[in-house]
Amino acid sequence: MNASAVSFGLWYDFRNPDSGDRGFGDFYRATLDQIAWAESIGIDSVWLTEHHFMDDGYTPSPFLLASAIGDRTTTMHIGTNLVVSPLHNPIRLAEDSATLSLLTGGRFSLGVGQGYWEPEFNAFDRRLVNRPSLLEEGVEIVRRCWSGSAEPFDGKRLRKPALPVTPTPEVAPDILVGAMADPAIERAARIGDGFLSTQNAHHASYLDALERVGKSRAEGRIFAGQWTIIAEDPEREWARIGSHALYQINKYIEMGAFGDVPQFTEPGQLIDAGSFTLWDPETAVDELTAMLRATPQIQDVHFWAQLPGESVESGSARIELLATKVAPQVRARLAAEESVEVPA
């Protein structure tokens, strides 16, 4: 593994429950300030996700936020993890992504997934049952648009007219695909430039799927979303913020993200179930080093900047710990291992 190639990043959903106490305008501005500061202390990437019709304002417009982040940063990589691409017109998706790539000097990656929440599909005049073909045909159209080709596309669900899309990106964004079920993971391996994982649960499944679709495991690229709290005293931190994690996970369960499972009733159950993990800095360095050593296909690990309803300032304390105490030590350990000459 090339240690310098491992990125450490932040994940944002911009949920703002009980927004009467914190207006969305102020919340957005404070978060953009946080992201710019995070870049200045060494954070490498930022990842935005998408949903619609959430009463807590869950990010409905990640491309607008990505553009604002691009304007406030100079080196930070910006990606979506993820947008629900079946809800989007793929030509507009290609145009918005190309524009972001141009504005940021190629610092943008398009992460997509097939989605799962039926009210969104109904509202955008899509059928949930069609989501696999909508995802796959959409990715094909996006790639054709970025190539500048005027070749038409007539698929089962989607079409592109015999017209070129301009401007094309100078650096074509990676198309990263998120998935959790086996068929979707195999689709991600087949059509994606990389895999968006969550909770590190499906890395082996993705690497196995690469071989099934005729690719080598070495070609794998994993961008790993973490559900981990890193703090000097993680149990004390959890006692302070666990209710925000409970809200976050239960909202996903309510939407059907994890299938038909019951909601949790208290924060400790999240730890017992492995929905969240608690690490102090030393444990974080040990665990991340081991994971990156075992799975060198991981190119980025990113953590929730703050949980829904938690203050931006509260999240910043953990970001500083990640940037100053965890990421440098992980890189140093990996670099030390790389420098050891393997005997002939």
Side-chain angles (χ1 to χ4, degrees), residues 96-115:
D96 288 345
S97 299
T99 302
L100 272 169
S101 181
L102 291 164
L103 285 171
T104 61
R107 290 188 287 129
F108 179 72
S109 293
L110 175 62
V112 299
Q114 66 181 14

mmCIF file with all atom_site columns, all heavy atoms in Angstrom, residues 96-115:
data_model
loop_
_atom_site.group_PDB
_atom_site.id
_atom_site.type_symbol
_atom_site.label_atom_id
_atom_site.label_alt_id
_atom_site.label_comp_id
_atom_site.label_asym_id
_atom_site.label_entity_id
_atom_site.label_seq_id
_atom_site.pdbx_PDB_ins_code
_atom_site.Cartn_x
_atom_site.Cartn_y
_atom_site.Cartn_z
_atom_site.occupancy
_atom_site.B_iso_or_equiv
_atom_site.pdbx_formal_charge
_atom_site.auth_seq_id
_atom_site.auth_comp_id
_atom_site.auth_asym_id
_atom_site.auth_atom_id
_atom_site.pdbx_PDB_model_num
ATOM 1   N N   . ASP A 1 96  ? -24.197 18.368 -14.448 1.00 0.00 ? 96  ASP A N   1
ATOM 2   C CA  . ASP A 1 96  ? -23.840 18.921 -13.141 1.00 0.00 ? 96  ASP A CA  1
ATOM 3   C C   . ASP A 1 96  ? -22.488 18.390 -12.667 1.00 0.00 ? 96  ASP A C   1
ATOM 4   O O   . ASP A 1 96  ? -21.663 19.134 -12.122 1.00 0.00 ? 96  ASP A O   1
ATOM 5   C CB  . ASP A 1 96  ? -24.915 18.578 -12.115 1.00 0.00 ? 96  ASP A CB  1
ATOM 6   C CG  . ASP A 1 96  ? -26.206 19.355 -12.326 1.00 0.00 ? 96  ASP A CG  1
ATOM 7   O OD1 . ASP A 1 96  ? -26.195 20.349 -13.072 1.00 0.00 ? 96  ASP A OD1 1
ATOM 8   O OD2 . ASP A 1 96  ? -27.233 18.956 -11.747 1.00 0.00 ? 96  ASP A OD2 1
ATOM 9   N N   . SER A 1 97  ? -22.257 17.101 -12.877 1.00 0.00 ? 97  SER A N   1
ATOM 10  C CA  . SER A 1 97  ? -20.992 16.507 -12.435 1.00 0.00 ? 97  SER A CA  1
ATOM 11  C C   . SER A 1 97  ? -19.816 17.031 -13.250 1.00 0.00 ? 97  SER A C   1
ATOM 12  O O   . SER A 1 97  ? -18.734 17.290 -12.705 1.00 0.00 ? 97  SER A O   1
ATOM 13  C CB  . SER A 1 97  ? -21.063 14.984 -12.548 1.00 0.00 ? 97  SER A CB  1
ATOM 14  O OG  . SER A 1 97  ? -22.079 14.464 -11.725 1.00 0.00 ? 97  SER A OG  1
ATOM 15  N N   . ALA A 1 98  ? -20.016 17.189 -14.559 1.00 0.00 ? 98  ALA A N   1
ATOM 16  C CA  . ALA A 1 98  ? -18.945 17.740 -15.398 1.00 0.00 ? 98  ALA A CA  1
ATOM 17  C C   . ALA A 1 98  ? -18.612 19.163 -14.972 1.00 0.00 ? 98  ALA A C   1
ATOM 18  O O   . ALA A 1 98  ? -17.436 19.552 -14.902 1.00 0.00 ? 98  ALA A O   1
ATOM 19  C CB  . ALA A 1 98  ? -19.363 17.705 -16.867 1.00 0.00 ? 98  ALA A CB  1
ATOM 20  N N   . THR A 1 99  ? -19.646 19.952 -14.676 1.00 0.00 ? 99  THR A N   1
ATOM 21  C CA  . THR A 1 99  ? -19.415 21.331 -14.245 1.00 0.00 ? 99  THR A CA  1
ATOM 22  C C   . THR A 1 99  ? -18.656 21.362 -12.928 1.00 0.00 ? 99  THR A C   1
ATOM 23  O O   . THR A 1 99  ? -17.722 22.156 -12.751 1.00 0.00 ? 99  THR A O   1
ATOM 24  C CB  . THR A 1 99  ? -20.757 22.066 -14.108 1.00 0.00 ? 99  THR A CB  1
ATOM 25  O OG1 . THR A 1 99  ? -21.444 22.036 -15.361 1.00 0.00 ? 99  THR A OG1 1
ATOM 26  C CG2 . THR A 1 99  ? -20.546 23.515 -13.694 1.00 0.00 ? 99  THR A CG2 1
ATOM 27  N N   . LEU A 1 100 ? -19.018 20.488 -11.996 1.00 0.00 ? 100 LEU A N   1
ATOM 28  C CA  . LEU A 1 100 ? -18.298 20.424 -10.723 1.00 0.00 ? 100 LEU A CA  1
ATOM 29  C C   . LEU A 1 100 ? -16.846 20.032 -10.927 1.00 0.00 ? 100 LEU A C   1
ATOM 30  O O   . LEU A 1 100 ? -15.940 20.595 -10.293 1.00 0.00 ? 100 LEU A O   1
ATOM 31  C CB  . LEU A 1 100 ? -18.983 19.425 -9.793  1.00 0.00 ? 100 LEU A CB  1
ATOM 32  C CG  . LEU A 1 100 ? -20.097 19.967 -8.919  1.00 0.00 ? 100 LEU A CG  1
ATOM 33  C CD1 . LEU A 1 100 ? -20.854 18.838 -8.246  1.00 0.00 ? 100 LEU A CD1 1
ATOM 34  C CD2 . LEU A 1 100 ? -19.531 20.926 -7.874  1.00 0.00 ? 100 LEU A CD2 1
ATOM 35  N N   . SER A 1 101 ? -16.599 19.083 -11.805 1.00 0.00 ? 101 SER A N   1
ATOM 36  C CA  . SER A 1 101 ? -15.223 18.676 -12.078 1.00 0.00 ? 101 SER A CA  1
ATOM 37  C C   . SER A 1 101 ? -14.422 19.837 -12.648 1.00 0.00 ? 101 SER A C   1
ATOM 38  O O   . SER A 1 101 ? -13.270 20.072 -12.263 1.00 0.00 ? 101 SER A O   1
ATOM 39  C CB  . SER A 1 101 ? -15.214 17.486 -13.040 1.00 0.00 ? 101 SER A CB  1
ATOM 40  O OG  . SER A 1 101 ? -13.892 17.055 -13.290 1.00 0.00 ? 101 SER A OG  1
ATOM 41  N N   . LEU A 1 102 ? -15.018 20.569 -13.563 1.00 0.00 ? 102 LEU A N   1
ATOM 42  C CA  . LEU A 1 102 ? -14.330 21.717 -14.159 1.00 0.00 ? 102 LEU A CA  1
ATOM 43  C C   . LEU A 1 102 ? -14.073 22.809 -13.130 1.00 0.00 ? 102 LEU A C   1
ATOM 44  O O   . LEU A 1 102 ? -12.990 23.403 -13.088 1.00 0.00 ? 102 LEU A O   1
ATOM 45  C CB  . LEU A 1 102 ? -15.153 22.262 -15.329 1.00 0.00 ? 102 LEU A CB  1
ATOM 46  C CG  . LEU A 1 102 ? -15.223 21.356 -16.564 1.00 0.00 ? 102 LEU A CG  1
ATOM 47  C CD1 . LEU A 1 102 ? -16.351 21.794 -17.491 1.00 0.00 ? 102 LEU A CD1 1
ATOM 48  C CD2 . LEU A 1 102 ? -13.894 21.365 -17.309 1.00 0.00 ? 102 LEU A CD2 1
ATOM 49  N N   . LEU A 1 103 ? -15.057 23.084 -12.284 1.00 0.00 ? 103 LEU A N   1
ATOM 50  C CA  . LEU A 1 103 ? -14.906 24.137 -11.285 1.00 0.00 ? 103 LEU A CA  1
ATOM 51  C C   . LEU A 1 103 ? -13.843 23.805 -10.241 1.00 0.00 ? 103 LEU A C   1
ATOM 52  O O   . LEU A 1 103 ? -13.192 24.708 -9.706  1.00 0.00 ? 103 LEU A O   1
ATOM 53  C CB  . LEU A 1 103 ? -16.246 24.386 -10.582 1.00 0.00 ? 103 LEU A CB  1
ATOM 54  C CG  . LEU A 1 103 ? -17.310 25.155 -11.353 1.00 0.00 ? 103 LEU A CG  1
ATOM 55  C CD1 . LEU A 1 103 ? -18.642 25.115 -10.599 1.00 0.00 ? 103 LEU A CD1 1
ATOM 56  C CD2 . LEU A 1 103 ? -16.879 26.610 -11.564 1.00 0.00 ? 103 LEU A CD2 1
ATOM 57  N N   . THR A 1 104 ? -13.677 22.517 -9.956  1.00 0.00 ? 104 THR A N   1
ATOM 58  C CA  . THR A 1 104 ? -12.782 22.111 -8.871  1.00 0.00 ? 104 THR A CA  1
ATOM 59  C C   . THR A 1 104 ? -11.454 21.555 -9.371  1.00 0.00 ? 104 THR A C   1
ATOM 60  O O   . THR A 1 104 ? -10.670 21.046 -8.574  1.00 0.00 ? 104 THR A O   1
ATOM 61  C CB  . THR A 1 104 ? -13.465 21.038 -7.994  1.00 0.00 ? 104 THR A CB  1
ATOM 62  O OG1 . THR A 1 104 ? -13.769 19.884 -8.794  1.00 0.00 ? 104 THR A OG1 1
ATOM 63  C CG2 . THR A 1 104 ? -14.744 21.572 -7.368  1.00 0.00 ? 104 THR A CG2 1
ATOM 64  N N   . GLY A 1 105 ? -11.191 21.661 -10.655 1.00 0.00 ? 105 GLY A N   1
ATOM 65  C CA  . GLY A 1 105 ? -9.939  21.138 -11.175 1.00 0.00 ? 105 GLY A CA  1
ATOM 66  C C   . GLY A 1 105 ? -9.835  19.625 -11.075 1.00 0.00 ? 105 GLY A C   1
ATOM 67  O O   . GLY A 1 105 ? -8.758  19.085 -10.820 1.00 0.00 ? 105 GLY A O   1
ATOM 68  N N   . GLY A 1 106 ? -10.973 18.940 -11.252 1.00 0.00 ? 106 GLY A N   1
ATOM 69  C CA  . GLY A 1 106 ? -10.965 17.480 -11.231 1.00 0.00 ? 106 GLY A CA  1
ATOM 70  C C   . GLY A 1 106 ? -11.053 16.877 -9.853  1.00 0.00 ? 106 GLY A C   1
ATOM 71  O O   . GLY A 1 106 ? -10.745 15.693 -9.678  1.00 0.00 ? 106 GLY A O   1
ATOM 72  N N   . ARG A 1 107 ? -11.514 17.649 -8.864  1.00 0.00 ? 107 ARG A N   1
ATOM 73  C CA  . ARG A 1 107 ? -11.567 17.153 -7.483  1.00 0.00 ? 107 ARG A CA  1
ATOM 74  C C   . ARG A 1 107 ? -12.901 16.508 -7.127  1.00 0.00 ? 107 ARG A C   1
ATOM 75  O O   . ARG A 1 107 ? -13.193 16.330 -5.937  1.00 0.00 ? 107 ARG A O   1
ATOM 76  C CB  . ARG A 1 107 ? -11.287 18.298 -6.503  1.00 0.00 ? 107 ARG A CB  1
ATOM 77  C CG  . ARG A 1 107 ? -9.862  18.801 -6.520  1.00 0.00 ? 107 ARG A CG  1
ATOM 78  C CD  . ARG A 1 107 ? -9.601  19.799 -5.388  1.00 0.00 ? 107 ARG A CD  1
ATOM 79  N NE  . ARG A 1 107 ? -10.210 21.091 -5.595  1.00 0.00 ? 107 ARG A NE  1
ATOM 80  C CZ  . ARG A 1 107 ? -10.972 21.728 -4.715  1.00 0.00 ? 107 ARG A CZ  1
ATOM 81  N NH1 . ARG A 1 107 ? -11.264 21.162 -3.550  1.00 0.00 ? 107 ARG A NH1 1
ATOM 82  N NH2 . ARG A 1 107 ? -11.474 22.918 -4.974  1.00 0.00 ? 107 ARG A NH2 1
ATOM 83  N N   . PHE A 1 108 ? -13.696 16.139 -8.102  1.00 0.00 ? 108 PHE A N   1
ATOM 84  C CA  . PHE A 1 108 ? -15.033 15.621 -7.815  1.00 0.00 ? 108 PHE A CA  1
ATOM 85  C C   . PHE A 1 108 ? -15.185 14.175 -8.265  1.00 0.00 ? 108 PHE A C   1
ATOM 86  O O   . PHE A 1 108 ? -14.726 13.797 -9.350  1.00 0.00 ? 108 PHE A O   1
ATOM 87  C CB  . PHE A 1 108 ? -16.096 16.473 -8.514  1.00 0.00 ? 108 PHE A CB  1
ATOM 88  C CG  . PHE A 1 108 ? -17.495 15.982 -8.287  1.00 0.00 ? 108 PHE A CG  1
ATOM 89  C CD1 . PHE A 1 108 ? -18.109 16.126 -7.053  1.00 0.00 ? 108 PHE A CD1 1
ATOM 90  C CD2 . PHE A 1 108 ? -18.201 15.354 -9.307  1.00 0.00 ? 108 PHE A CD2 1
ATOM 91  C CE1 . PHE A 1 108 ? -19.398 15.648 -6.834  1.00 0.00 ? 108 PHE A CE1 1
ATOM 92  C CE2 . PHE A 1 108 ? -19.486 14.883 -9.097  1.00 0.00 ? 108 PHE A CE2 1
ATOM 93  C CZ  . PHE A 1 108 ? -20.088 15.033 -7.863  1.00 0.00 ? 108 PHE A CZ  1
ATOM 94  N N   . SER A 1 109 ? -15.832 13.361 -7.430  1.00 0.00 ? 109 SER A N   1
ATOM 95  C CA  . SER A 1 109 ? -16.224 11.997 -7.785  1.00 0.00 ? 109 SER A CA  1
ATOM 96  C C   . SER A 1 109 ? -17.731 11.864 -7.632  1.00 0.00 ? 109 SER A C   1
ATOM 97  O O   . SER A 1 109 ? -18.315 12.351 -6.654  1.00 0.00 ? 109 SER A O   1
ATOM 98  C CB  . SER A 1 109 ? -15.542 10.966 -6.878  1.00 0.00 ? 109 SER A CB  1
ATOM 99  O OG  . SER A 1 109 ? -14.156 10.930 -7.100  1.00 0.00 ? 109 SER A OG  1
ATOM 100 N N   . LEU A 1 110 ? -18.337 11.186 -8.591  1.00 0.00 ? 110 LEU A N   1
ATOM 101 C CA  . LEU A 1 110 ? -19.782 10.975 -8.563  1.00 0.00 ? 110 LEU A CA  1
ATOM 102 C C   . LEU A 1 110 ? -20.073 9.600  -7.966  1.00 0.00 ? 110 LEU A C   1
ATOM 103 O O   . LEU A 1 110 ? -19.812 8.573  -8.591  1.00 0.00 ? 110 LEU A O   1
ATOM 104 C CB  . LEU A 1 110 ? -20.359 11.071 -9.977  1.00 0.00 ? 110 LEU A CB  1
ATOM 105 C CG  . LEU A 1 110 ? -21.851 10.753 -10.115 1.00 0.00 ? 110 LEU A CG  1
ATOM 106 C CD1 . LEU A 1 110 ? -22.704 11.739 -9.317  1.00 0.00 ? 110 LEU A CD1 1
ATOM 107 C CD2 . LEU A 1 110 ? -22.261 10.748 -11.582 1.00 0.00 ? 110 LEU A CD2 1
ATOM 108 N N   . GLY A 1 111 ? -20.600 9.593  -6.760  1.00 0.00 ? 111 GLY A N   1
ATOM 109 C CA  . GLY A 1 111 ? -21.008 8.353  -6.121  1.00 0.00 ? 111 GLY A CA  1
ATOM 110 C C   . GLY A 1 111 ? -22.512 8.193  -6.213  1.00 0.00 ? 111 GLY A C   1
ATOM 111 O O   . GLY A 1 111 ? -23.267 9.116  -5.883  1.00 0.00 ? 111 GLY A O   1
ATOM 112 N N   . VAL A 1 112 ? -22.946 7.034  -6.676  1.00 0.00 ? 112 VAL A N   1
ATOM 113 C CA  . VAL A 1 112 ? -24.368 6.797  -6.919  1.00 0.00 ? 112 VAL A CA  1
ATOM 114 C C   . VAL A 1 112 ? -24.806 5.493  -6.251  1.00 0.00 ? 112 VAL A C   1
ATOM 115 O O   . VAL A 1 112 ? -24.005 4.619  -5.949  1.00 0.00 ? 112 VAL A O   1
ATOM 116 C CB  . VAL A 1 112 ? -24.683 6.735  -8.430  1.00 0.00 ? 112 VAL A CB  1
ATOM 117 C CG1 . VAL A 1 112 ? -24.334 8.054  -9.109  1.00 0.00 ? 112 VAL A CG1 1
ATOM 118 C CG2 . VAL A 1 112 ? -23.935 5.584  -9.104  1.00 0.00 ? 112 VAL A CG2 1
ATOM 119 N N   . GLY A 1 113 ? -26.108 5.394  -6.057  1.00 0.00 ? 113 GLY A N   1
ATOM 120 C CA  . GLY A 1 113 ? -26.710 4.167  -5.572  1.00 0.00 ? 113 GLY A CA  1
ATOM 121 C C   . GLY A 1 113 ? -28.130 4.083  -6.055  1.00 0.00 ? 113 GLY A C   1
ATOM 122 O O   . GLY A 1 113 ? -28.694 5.055  -6.578  1.00 0.00 ? 113 GLY A O   1
ATOM 123 N N   . GLN A 1 114 ? -28.738 2.922  -5.885  1.00 0.00 ? 114 GLN A N   1
ATOM 124 C CA  . GLN A 1 114 ? -30.043 2.703  -6.482  1.00 0.00 ? 114 GLN A CA  1
ATOM 125 C C   . GLN A 1 114 ? -31.200 3.198  -5.615  1.00 0.00 ? 114 GLN A C   1
ATOM 126 O O   . GLN A 1 114 ? -32.318 3.329  -6.096  1.00 0.00 ? 114 GLN A O   1
ATOM 127 C CB  . GLN A 1 114 ? -30.245 1.227  -6.814  1.00 0.00 ? 114 GLN A CB  1
ATOM 128 C CG  . GLN A 1 114 ? -30.305 0.298  -5.625  1.00 0.00 ? 114 GLN A CG  1
ATOM 129 C CD  . GLN A 1 114 ? -30.480 -1.148 -6.046  1.00 0.00 ? 114 GLN A CD  1
ATOM 130 O OE1 . GLN A 1 114 ? -30.304 -1.496 -7.202  1.00 0.00 ? 114 GLN A OE1 1
ATOM 131 N NE2 . GLN A 1 114 ? -30.837 -2.005 -5.094  1.00 0.00 ? 114 GLN A NE2 1
ATOM 132 N N   . GLY A 1 115 ? -30.943 3.493  -4.336  1.00 0.00 ? 115 GLY A N   1
ATOM 133 C CA  . GLY A 1 115 ? -32.010 3.989  -3.479  1.00 0.00 ? 115 GLY A CA  1
ATOM 134 C C   . GLY A 1 115 ? -32.890 2.883  -2.938  1.00 0.00 ? 115 GLY A C   1
ATOM 135 O O   . GLY A 1 115 ? -32.774 1.713  -3.317  1.00 0.00 ? 115 GLY A O   1
#
